[in-house]
Amino acid sequence: MTTQASAPSPLVLVLGEEELLIERAVRSASDAAKAADPTADLSRIRVSDLTVPALAEMVSPSLFAEGRVIVLESAHDISQELADGVMAYVKAPAEGIVLVVVHSGGGRSKAAKALPTALKKAGAEVVECPKLTKAAERESFVRNEVRRVGGKIDGAAVLALIDAVGSDLRELSSAATQLVADAGGAVDEQAVRRYHRGRADVNGFAVAEKAVAGDMAAALESLRWAMQLGVPHVLVADALADAVRTIARVSGAGRGNPNQMAGELGMPPWKVRKAQGQARGWGQDGLATAMRIVARLNAEVKGAAADPEYALERAVLEVVAAHGTPSR
């Protein structure tokens, strides 16, 4: 006996700004529609490129009743007229059509800000996709990714993986999946270290480690290798920022037992020990300068700089120069 697929939700609100989670939510809605109707077609369009008549045509019932998944992207840019058109449609949705509205949760106009609440009241299935900005959220994400592919991972391995890969969710997901496959399901800290040992020479953390140590030649060499191998600019910038901030936090906490300080600072003991060693070459003025540099770099690699590679090289040189700056 075959089991008939349950009918997909006709209205899905994908709410948030985390791109990987958004893509997964859209794919899930599409898969549900295709499970009910294998011929269902997927269409994606930004609301800024859509008119009310075009929307009406997209959501009008088909002569042959083919299934459709219509994704309205960047709905936080929606106009009042188009928002009214969407709400008019959801009051009487067409059979076989799944409307997916992707919205950041914000918006400039009154209509854009009000749309998520209106869609929720209309009975939309809501998929939350917030940016994962806190360390605990990224740790939870890694655990869930490992669990999703049938594996297990301990706390030390979670922290080691984030330290090795960075904060990009796509990178973390890919690494977690590969580690589960390589480690036979159970991932520990040693498995993470083995897996990333070969990569360590070309990722952003290698660049950062050389820069905060004041080793200009090695830092520039690592940076150039990373750029040639296609390491994303934002990952190198994140690694440099993480290294500087970690040294600043550990330095500010004073001297102490790394095992005791680990709990207070929310870091694994090995990371505290490493930062304590790195902090010996830094004065408070130098750290303050380095913090300003990495804050500027964050904006530059995300679009503020015309040439992100030049911005990275300049930031590395400036961080190296700040190393060893005596406090006044």
Side-chain angles (χ1 to χ4, degrees):
M1 187 174 87
T2 58
T3 302
Q4 187 174 7
S6 58
S9 174
L11 177 62
V12 180
L13 171 62
V14 179
L15 195 59
E17 296 181 287
E18 191 59 69
E19 292 183 5
L20 176 64
L21 302 183
I22 290 170
E23 285 302 315
R24 286 183 177 176
V26 171
R27 190 185 313 129
S28 178
S30 177
D31 289 346
K34 288 180 182 292
D37 178 2
T39 67
D41 185 46
L42 174 66
S43 300
R44 306 179 70 146
I45 186 168
R46 294 176 65 91
V47 296
S48 56
D49 298 327
L50 186 62
T51 63
V52 174
L55 172 65
E57 183 177 347
M58 291 177 76
V59 298
S60 61
S62 166
L63 180 63
F64 300 104
E66 301 104 331
R68 274 173 284 166
V69 181
I70 299 167
V71 182
L72 302 186
E73 298 183 324
S74 301
H76 43 272
D77 294 329
I78 202 166
S79 66
Q80 182 67 62
E81 186 181 19
L82 190 56
D84 291 342
V86 169
M87 294 312 302
Y89 166 74
V90 301
K91 289 177 182 176
E95 186 176 351
I97 293 180
V98 175
L99 181 65
V100 181
V101 181
V102 180
H103 195 294
S104 70
R108 295 181 181 178
S109 69
K110 183 178 179 181
K113 292 176 181 176
L115 186 61
T117 300
L119 292 174
K120 290 176 184 178
K121 288 181 179 178
E125 174 188 334
V126 182
V127 183
E128 300 282 354
C129 302
K131 279 281 188 186
L132 305 189
T133 57
K134 298 179 181 177
E137 293 172 338
R138 287 191 286 271
E139 290 166 19
S140 178
F141 173 79
V142 170
R143 291 191 187 93
N144 290 334
E145 288 299 286
V146 170
R147 193 178 301 121
R148 188 171 67 91
V149 293
K152 295 181 180 179
I153 186 168
D154 61 34
V158 170
L159 295 172
L161 182 58
I162 294 172
D163 187 50
V165 174
S167 59
D168 183 86
L169 295 196
R170 293 183 192 277
E171 292 273 332
L172 286 171
S173 174
S174 176
T177 302
Q178 188 62 52
L179 273 165
V180 170
D182 289 353
V187 181
D188 58 17
E189 185 177 358
Q190 287 69 35
V192 175
R193 300 269 173 235
R194 283 195 304 271
Y195 180 74
H196 288 281
R197 191 173 295 137
R199 172 187 175 146
D201 291 334
V202 295
N203 68 13
F205 289 93
V207 179
E209 190 167 319
K210 301 296 191 300
V212 298
D215 191 338
M216 182 183 296
L220 289 177
E221 182 180 5
S222 294
L223 176 61
R224 284 159 190 161
W225 270 111
M227 294 301 94
Q228 286 181 27
L229 292 167
V231 178
H233 302 123
V234 70
L235 292 188
V236 180
D238 283 350
L240 189 60
D242 180 72
V244 170
R245 290 167 186 157
T246 298
I247 293 170
R249 287 183 65 198
V250 171
S251 176
R255 295 180 180 179
N257 185 304
N259 295 318
Q260 294 176 341
M261 293 175 67
E264 299 170 6
L265 295 172
M267 300 178 192
W270 64 265
K271 192 170 185 177
V272 176
R273 281 193 291 272
K274 181 178 178 181
Q276 284 177 327
Q278 293 169 325
R280 295 190 188 102
W282 286 91
Q284 290 306 306
D285 288 348
L287 280 172
T289 299
M291 291 283 281
R292 289 193 294 270
I293 293 165
V294 296
R296 183 198 71 212
L297 179 63
N298 179 64
E300 290 177 334
V301 297
K302 292 179 180 177
D307 186 344
E309 286 194 18
Y310 172 76
L312 278 168
E313 185 169 321
R314 182 177 68 161
V316 166
L317 290 172
E318 290 175 347
V319 168
V320 170
H323 178 268
T325 301
S327 296
R328 289 191 294 270

